[in-house]
Amino acid sequence: CRRTGKLRCITCFREYASDVYRAADDLDMALHHARYVAGREDADNDRRYIGHLMSATVHLLAGRLGAALESVLSGFTVVDAFHHPLNGRRQLVEKLETILHLQGRAAEIPSVLASVGIDDAFVRVPAAGENPSLELRFKLLDSLVLATQGDYTSALRELSHWDRLLLRQRCLDAWFEVRLRLIA
């Protein structure tokens, strides 16, 4: 990136590096790169929201729910600068709800969403098939909620459907996430 003179690419490389380190189970380095992205404001291509979302994901993997919640809430403060703020808000809502369910604070979801400017009219997930990637994230959240409520049969049924669909479609990165949750 430095040789071509396009310094913006460095931020994208840091996003990629965070994913690589996370996959290699080096969460400290993954978090380091995510924080770099979260702290780098760029007028032409502001990706701070992505950095906060990636930080929240790493904190979740490490079991640091409080830090994950802080990262998500910080993401809401910069999501409007992202090139697709609606999609960004939806991803942050999914992560926020995941964290609050894991903390046993599901009843607080409406008030926390209201505190970041998300009201009851906000459409969490578009119509089925319109955004399959986001739909999957919310289905993973739904299965997590079912599992935390002790309804493992329904959670397994939901995950099994996505397991078969993603394998058939050869969406292996998403399939791997679903398969790991099935195993867990």
Side-chain angles (χ1 to χ4, degrees), residues 12 17 21 23-24 39 81 87 104-105 110 120 141 147 159 163-164 169 181-182:
C12 293
Y21 280 112
N87 194 48
R105 299 171 51 194
D120 293 338
L141 170 60
L159 289 174
D163 179 64
R164 289 186 302 275
Q169 297 291 330
R181 290 183 185 220
L182 269 169

Side-chain angles (χ1 to χ4, degrees), residues 160-178:
S160 295
H161 162 75
W162 283 93
D163 179 64
R164 289 186 302 275
L165 176 67
L166 294 168
L167 187 59
R168 190 172 51 246
Q169 297 291 330
R170 304 238 186 263
C171 298
L172 298 181
D173 58 335
W175 168 80
F176 189 67
E177 172 74 19
V178 171

Side-chain angles (χ1 to χ4, degrees), residues 69-174:
L69 182 59
E70 287 178 28
S71 293
V72 168
L73 294 175
S74 295
F76 277 109
T77 66
V78 295
V79 72
D80 286 328
F82 187 58
H83 70 272
H84 196 323
L86 176 61
N87 194 48
R89 274 190 205 84
R90 286 175 169 158
Q91 290 179 343
L92 288 168
V93 165
E94 179 269 329
K95 197 67 72 181
L96 175 72
E97 290 184 17
T98 297
I99 295 163
L100 292 176
H101 276 289
L102 288 171
Q103 289 181 325
R105 299 171 51 194
E108 297 176 36
I109 290 173
S111 63
V112 175
L113 288 175
S115 74
V116 294
I118 305 292
D119 60 18
D120 293 338
F122 182 75
V123 178
R124 291 169 65 232
V125 185
E130 187 175 319
N131 188 336
S133 177
L134 188 62
E135 185 179 344
L136 170 63
R137 299 304 316 165
F138 276 96
K139 291 298 183 179
L140 291 174
L141 170 60
D142 292 344
S143 66
L144 172 75
V145 170
L146 289 168
T148 60
Q149 295 171 347
D151 188 358
Y152 302 113
T153 304
S154 298
L156 288 170
R157 186 178 321 116
E158 186 67 47
L159 289 174
S160 295
H161 162 75
W162 283 93
D163 179 64
R164 289 186 302 275
L165 176 67
L166 294 168
L167 187 59
R168 190 172 51 246
Q169 297 291 330
R170 304 238 186 263
C171 298
L172 298 181
D173 58 335

